[in-house]
Every structure is written in structure tokens, then in C-alpha cells.
Amino acid sequence: MSNVLKGTIARYGIRPDTRSVLLRAFALLVCVSIWILPAGAQPAPAKSAVATAHPLATRAGEEILAAGGNAFDAAVAISAALAVVEPYASGLGGGGFWLLHEADSGRQIVVDGREVAPAAATRDMYLDARGNPRPGITMDGPLAAGIPGEPAALVHLAKRYGRLPLATSLAPAIRYADEGIEISRGIGMGLKFRAEAARKSPAFAALYLPGGEPRQAGATVRFRDLARTLQRLAADGHDGFYRGDVARRLVAGVQAAGGIWTRDDLAAYKVIEREPIRVQYRGATLVMVPPPSSGGVVLGDTLNILRAYDLASLPSVERKHLTIEALRRAYRDRAMYLGDPAFVSMPIERLLSPWYADGQRTSIRLDRATPSDNLPGIAPDTGGGTNTTHFSVLDKAGNRVAGTLSINTWFGAAFIPPGTGVILNNEMDDFSIKTGTPNGFELLGTAANAIAPGKRMLSSMSPTFIESPRGVAILGTPGGSRIISMVLLSAMAWMDGVDAEQMASLKRYHHQYYPDVVAYEEGAFTADEKAGLEARGHKLELSQRSFGNMQVVTWDRETGRVDAASDPRGGGEVTVY
Ligand code: DON
């Protein structure tokens, strides 16, 4: 840089005394710019760290970093490995959002590999002749599946951001699929839960339900078709999945079982790069995912409402009451306004403006819950599941990835097109199939999230970075509609000074506007807090569903310490080295 300056000085024949003033000014500028550089663009961490939901996925990430890959190569290796070792949660038949930070440039971007509705999809495709939802149809079988985005995202990540060839980063996953993996307790549980739907898919049943019964934990299964599909992707890139033999098999299998995919749908799939949403809160910047995920808007809206309260000085019951009230209002906006930006215009600037939050705060009372029905209703047509996965990676150059990937609920649509080994997603259930009809996560929606050909269904996936003078946190979790409140609680806890371990293990509670209940984990509230919340009119419901599987990496700039933590609720593993 200083050579550039010297060259400029020489070229324009600037006098020596003016030169020294300029050189001093330049030195000052460098110092100032180092001081004000965005949190992410500062010196590199001393260690790499990986946190994923499965030990073999963490090892795949480690292997690729050790082979000279960067965090983006590791993200490809981890995502592909998760497709094999956590087949009920994410995979080539699904999609996700990868939030990236490039250390060199400070550039941050969201790779949107969300599924899209096939061209033959229609707004009322899941309703019967009377306009009532047909049960199960958005959940099981190929009609429930959107066109997958994960394979395209992996190719994009490797090509655009990686240092290693795609084939190198896919190698661990191919090895796992080819050599086989042990059926974990998670897989066993998922199979029991999905057995009925899965029996209707011969290719799924042959792999997972030999003799009609779910495989038991401990058995080893080789995934030869999946290994072949991964090899095609490694050899031919994007076209290896979206055109040619794999595409032909996918479409043939889907159509033979009553699905509506075509070769054109696959050929048309494109990854989209999006600018993250950034919100400031208590001196930190949260870097989050924009629509078609609702994560960034709902988190931003919630934090904007909360920022006016001095939460630290309030009794804990009031703090929790206010958090619930903020979530109630932000999730209402999710239902009302959010969808795929290519199809709906959304008032995002308004939803994230301080004035909007001021307005929302006026209806919040400290002594009483606002019944959701008292909020402006969601306009009548303006117009359990438990799986998904998250990983967090930081490399020694300071590159970061937060990736949340999904096929939606346990084993997605429980359907494998023969000869592909690819479990299809059931993300079509994330659309609002009818205003007022809740989806599998009891979320409401309106026309903004109605089905249309080529449209991306609204997501709650929220891979997030928090950047503050203290350092950086990379986090996210599965959990359907609860993802956003889980990320919120852990983000606020990080800003209060907790470490990665505490962020991942924190006891959680949640409100999503509808149903008008506070779901909570045992331990999330003390007896006094429960009494205080109930006295304010909150309906508390001890959760039967698992509250996520958070993966966190933190880098403390003051101490230089790099930490990682995997949610004690799951079977994940971390590595820091
Ligand atoms: O995109 C979404 O919001 C959902 N498909 C995520 C599903 C999920 O997290 C299920 N996990 N427990």
C-alpha cells in the first residue's frame, strides 16, 4: 500500500515536505483503519475450530483443514459428511443456508441453497375439493419435496470460496458412504418414527427397513447409491446432480411415486448469494440470514424491541416476560409478512427500524401478557418433527462459516428415488398451504408464504455471527420454529459474558405468537419465575419436543482463546487445534 502511495507521490511530483506530511497522514490512516476495521477483519485466530452434530462430520472438517483447505472447504466436507452420517437431518435431497465470512476481504455473504417449489406446484395443491388441507400430504412421499439446493450450494462454495478441488472436500463423505456407518441411536429413533411412511418407498425400505422392520442401533449400513451420487457430484460438479444420470433417476423415481418434479425443475435450480442482515445490539453486531429465512428479521425485530429496556437491572421474571412479549410480536410479523423476496415485497426496512420497535413496545405491559389474539390479526388472505443440523467453523486465517442445513422433519419425506440414495426433503410443509392452517411447526402464514412455482419456502434457519469488542461467536441450531428463539437466547447470553459451553447448554423457552403458549424446558424457569409469568397471564407448557442441537464456536479477541461447544442435548463433537 505504501508503495502505491510512494508511486503516486513520484508520479505527481509532490514536493518533499508535502511528501512527509502525506506519508505521516497515510500512517495515521492505517492506524485508524486498523482500529475501526470491522470486528471480523482483525488478526487471525491462533487455532481452528469445528463444531458439528456428529463426530465423523467434525473429523471430516478437521481432515480437510489439515489438508490445506480453508473454512469453506471444511464447510463442504462437513455438509456432505452430515448427509451420510446424519441422514435424517440434512442431505443432498435438501437445502440450507451457509453464512460466510471471508477474512481477507471482510466480505460476508449468505449462500442460499434453499429448496424451491417445482414448476407444477400450485397454491392449493395440498387442499381437497372443499379447500381443506389433506392430512400428511406435505410430509410424506415425493409430493412433499422441493427441488433440492444443497448439492448446488456445495459446488458453489467449493468453486467460489474454497482452495481445494470439490472432489477432495467430498472425499470423506464418499468414504463414509462407501465403507458404511453404524446406525446411531438417533437414526434408530428416527426410523421408528418414520417407518410407516418409509415402507411406501422401496428404495428407502431396502436400505433402512430390511424385512419391513427399522434397523437397530449398532448395525452397519453401506450407502452405495449415495456414494455413487456423491462421486458424480465430485466428478461433474453442478451438472453431476442437476443433469444427466442422477437427475434422470431422481425425476423417474419421483414421478413413478406420484410426484411432480421434472428434469427442467432440476436444470433450473440456482444458488442465490444474499447480503446478510446486520443489527446492532449492546455494542455487538449480529450478522444474520435474510428471507427466504425469517431468522434475521425475527431476531432483529425482537432485539430492537428489547433494546429499550435495561434488562440487566430488571428482575429475571421481568426479563423473561419481556423476551416472550418481544418474540410474540416478531413471530406475528413472520406469519404476516415474510416469504421469498423474489415473489413478495416485504417491509423489511420498516420491520427492522427503531420506530417500528417503538410502536410495538407501546402495547407491552410489564405486569401482564398480551394475548396473541389482542394483536392485530394476520390478515385473512392478503392474497415435531425434529430434524435439521447446524455446524460452525473457524479457520486460522479467520474465515468463518455458520451453516444450517435441512431436509425438514425426521428423514424428510421418507422417500428415496431408486438408484440415487438421496432422501428427499419435505420442505413443502414450510409453505403456508392455507392462511390460518398451521404447519408442522404450528407456524401460521399468509399469502406471502403461499406456494408458487419456483418459489422458496419460508425458513426459520438462522446461522448467525455475533461480532463484538469481546470477539466473535458463530452459532446456530436445528429446531424448526424454535431455532430463532434459541439463537436469540444464546446470543443475549453471549453478550452477557457466557462462554460457548454455556451458550450451547442454556435452558430454553419459546413463544411464537401462535399457539399462545410459552414452551419451556425443565430448568428454564425457577419456581418464582413460573409463578410470576403465570400471574401475568402466560400459559406455560413444559416441552415434550427436543429443544435443538446448537453448535457454537467462539473466538475471544482479548485473550485469543478459541472455543467450541456442542449441545449436550445431541451427540455432536468439537475440535479446537
Ligand atoms: O427451514 C426451516 O425452518 C425448517 N425446515 C427447519 C426444520 C428443523 O429445524 C427441524 N428440526 N428440528
Side-chain angles (χ1 to χ4, degrees):
M1 196 68 163
S2 68
N3 284 341
V4 173
L5 186 73
K6 280 181 192 155
T8 310
I9 289 171
R11 198 160 49 247
Y12 293 102
I14 296 170
R15 286 198 358 237
D17 47 347
T18 319
R19 268 185 220 177
S20 90
V21 171
L22 276 176
L23 282 170
R24 267 182 228 176
F26 179 70
L28 186 69
L29 190 74
V30 170
C31 294
V32 170
S33 62
I34 287 173
W35 178 60
I36 57 163
L37 270 179
Q42 287 179 2
K47 293 182 174 175
S48 312
V50 178
T52 85
H54 197 288
L56 289 174
T58 300
R59 242 163 275 162
E62 201 176 343
E63 181 180 324
I64 291 303
L65 288 172
N70 59 18
F72 313 118
D73 297 305
V76 173
I78 291 165
S79 305
L82 286 167
V84 181
V85 299
E86 237 198 353
Y88 50 84
S90 71
L92 298 188
F97 296 92
W98 290 255
L99 173 64
L100 316 183
H101 171 91
E102 247 187 342
D104 282 358
S105 59
R107 183 165 175 262
Q108 298 180 320
I109 209 80
V110 174
V111 173
D112 169 353
R114 183 66 163 164
E115 300 89 336
V116 303
T122 59
R123 200 191 63 170
D124 297 335
M125 64 187 277
Y126 298 120
L127 306 182
D128 64 19
R130 292 190 175 155
N132 297 320
R134 292 191 274 159
I137 194 168
T138 59
M139 286 290 189
D140 305 337
L143 211 51
I147 304 301
E150 176 161 328
L154 299 191
V155 175
H156 182 80
L157 280 169
K159 261 195 176 159
R160 171 76 182 75
Y161 298 98
R163 270 209 297 246
L164 302 179
L166 174 66
T168 306
S169 301
L170 292 181
I174 295 172
R175 203 171 64 231
Y176 295 156
D178 198 39
E179 290 173 1
I181 59 145
E182 199 180 290
I183 298 289
S184 62
R185 262 192 57 233
I187 298 180
M189 262 165 55
L191 285 177
K192 266 191 216 138
F193 183 60
R194 297 296 276 141
E196 200 184 318
R199 286 196 186 96
K200 297 185 193 129
S201 168
F204 192 107
L207 206 50
Y208 288 109
L209 308 162
E213 287 313 307
R215 281 196 193 271
Q216 301 294 317
T220 296
V221 183
R222 296 179 65 184
F223 300 95
R224 292 198 179 85
D225 286 342
L226 181 57
R228 255 199 314 276
T229 298
L230 281 162
Q231 273 156 353
R232 282 265 62 82
L233 190 66
D236 301 338
H238 185 99
D239 287 354
F241 187 88
Y242 293 92
R243 293 173 193 271
D245 188 50
V246 172
R248 193 181 51 72
R249 286 173 196 260
L250 287 168
V251 170
V254 162
Q255 290 187 355
I260 54 174
W261 290 14
T262 65
R263 302 276 293 273
D264 286 347
D265 285 325
L266 286 169
Y269 187 86
K270 281 196 174 57
V271 153
I272 298 178
E273 290 211 337
R274 299 186 189 277
E275 190 55 30
I277 287 181
R278 292 184 186 79
V279 167
Q280 312 291 325
Y281 185 80
R282 291 179 53 198
T285 304
L286 283 95
V287 186
M288 306 172 293
V289 178
S293 174
S294 57
V297 175
V298 175
L299 278 163
D301 193 357
T302 308
L303 290 169
N304 282 341
I305 296 173
L306 290 176
R307 77 169 69 248
Y309 302 101
D310 182 10
L311 292 182
S313 72
L314 294 176
S316 67
V317 63
E318 281 181 24
R319 227 164 36 225
K320 291 180 178 176
H321 165 70
L322 289 169
T323 305
I324 293 163
E325 289 303 312
L327 284 168
R328 179 198 307 282
R329 285 158 177 79
Y331 270 90
R332 176 203 166 264
D333 290 343
R334 179 194 196 280
M336 180 71 203
Y337 299 111
L338 302 186
D340 180 345
F343 288 76
V344 282
S345 74
M346 290 169 274
I348 303 229
E349 231 173 275
R350 175 161 70 87
L351 294 178
L352 291 176
S353 83
W355 304 279
Y356 184 73
D358 290 346
Q360 284 177 306
R361 226 177 286 114
T362 56
S363 63
I364 297 182
R365 292 177 53 160
L366 270 181
D367 63 340
R368 187 169 301 174
T370 313
S372 287
D373 283 345
N374 287 10
L375 295 178
I378 55 166
D381 246 328
T382 32
T386 44
N387 270 286
T388 290
T389 195
H390 176 86
F391 67 86
S392 297
V393 189
L394 171 73
D395 71 18
K396 284 186 191 154
N399 298 306
R400 317 170 210 147
V401 181
T404 311
L405 332 175
S406 185
I407 50 176
N408 201 22
T409 57
W410 282 103
F411 282 107
F415 180 85
I416 297 180
T420 65
V422 175
I423 300 175
L424 300 192
N425 67 84
N426 57 358
E427 302 282 7
M428 292 295 281
D429 187 69
D430 278 348
F431 278 119
S432 168
I433 64 164
K434 186 181 176 184
T435 297
T437 299
N439 77 349
F441 297 104
E442 298 186 276
L443 288 165
L444 294 178
T446 59
N449 187 32
I451 303 171
K455 188 172 175 182
R456 284 159 144 87
M457 55 295 280
L458 187 61
S459 173
S460 301
M461 290 190 272
S462 308
T464 298
F465 300 146
I466 316 172
E467 299 168 347
S468 74
R470 179 182 166 199
V472 173
I474 308 168
L475 72 155
T477 178
S481 57
R482 297 178 184 186
I483 290 173
I484 305 172
S485 55
M486 288 190 249
V487 170
L488 174 86
L489 294 181
S490 293
M492 297 208 320
W494 158 260
M495 291 182 262
D496 285 340
V498 308
D499 63 13
E501 203 73 48
Q502 291 165 303
M503 286 168 87
S505 57
L506 196 76
K507 297 294 180 197
R508 296 164 179 150
Y509 58 93
H510 171 76
H511 193 292
Q512 61 180 50
Y513 167 63
Y514 174 90
D516 193 351
V517 292
V518 180
Y520 71 98
E521 283 182 309
E522 196 63 70
F525 302 130
T526 62
D528 281 352
E529 286 169 354
K530 272 190 216 164
L533 290 170
E534 279 168 349
R536 284 171 173 79
H538 291 287
K539 187 161 175 269
L540 306 185
E541 211 171 81
L542 182 63
S543 183
Q544 304 305 323
R545 275 202 350 237
S546 148
F547 249 93
N549 190 4
M550 185 170 281
Q551 311 297 327
V552 187
V553 168
T554 58
W555 170 26
D556 188 321
R557 279 183 212 285
E558 279 162 21
T559 60
R561 190 179 161 86
V562 173
D563 246 329
S566 185
D567 202 317
R569 296 162 189 81
E573 194 172 283
V574 304
T575 175
V576 179
Y577 69 104

